[in-house]
Amino acid sequence: PNTLQVDIYWEADATVEDDLVVFVHVIGAEGLIGQDDTQLAGGRWQGTWWQPDLYVRESHTITLNESFDRNRHQIRLGLYRAGNSERLPVYDPINGEDLGTAWTVDSE
């Protein structure tokens, strides 16, 4: 009950020139209750290999400080550059909406 598995499919709309780190943060009322910051695809895929329309799939198992409750917790994820920790911008491709530097995942 204190672990959460998050499966992610990434797609870039342009070539990538940096090695990337994926962050998956689980947020509760008191702040962070679990996280996983790992190189893209567990280090098995370099960001520079990424080309438009190419998907990268990965899975993250996160140990939590308390049991996950989708009504009380949020899952946020995104990417940052390995060299300087600068987060990449994210957007909703369906609505064309700028989402800042992290997605908040609907856990239903």
Side-chain angles (χ1 to χ4, degrees):
N2 287 11
T3 61
L4 179 68
Q5 181 173 325
V6 178
D7 295 316
I8 306 169
Y9 291 84
W10 298 104
E11 178 186 16
D13 60 1
T15 58
V16 176
E17 297 182 11
D18 298 301
D19 285 328
L20 301 175
V21 176
V22 176
F23 67 88
V24 181
H25 295 170
V26 183
I27 312 295
E30 302 297 317
L32 194 66
I33 65 165
Q35 75 179 77
D36 186 31
D37 289 43
T38 310
Q39 286 187 317
L40 184 65
R44 296 180 308 278
W45 186 265
Q46 294 180 20
T48 55
W49 296 347
W50 221 349
Q51 300 297 316
D53 301 320
L54 180 66
Y55 289 89
V56 176
R57 180 193 177 275
E58 61 182 359
S59 182
H60 296 259
T61 302
I62 303 162
T63 301
L64 305 174
N65 295 339
E66 57 188 71
S67 295
F68 181 76
D69 179 341
R70 67 181 180 166
N71 296 314
R72 296 185 307 120
H73 301 121
Q74 288 185 334
I75 302 168
R76 295 186 189 149
L77 59 97
L79 298 162
Y80 60 88
R81 290 182 171 86
N84 63 11
S85 300
E86 177 188 358
R87 287 189 177 187
L88 298 174
V90 296
Y91 66 94
D92 179 342
I94 295 170
N95 299 321
E97 180 183 359
D98 180 7
L99 301 176
T101 59
W103 283 278
T104 299
V105 178
D106 182 3
S107 60
E108 293 189 79

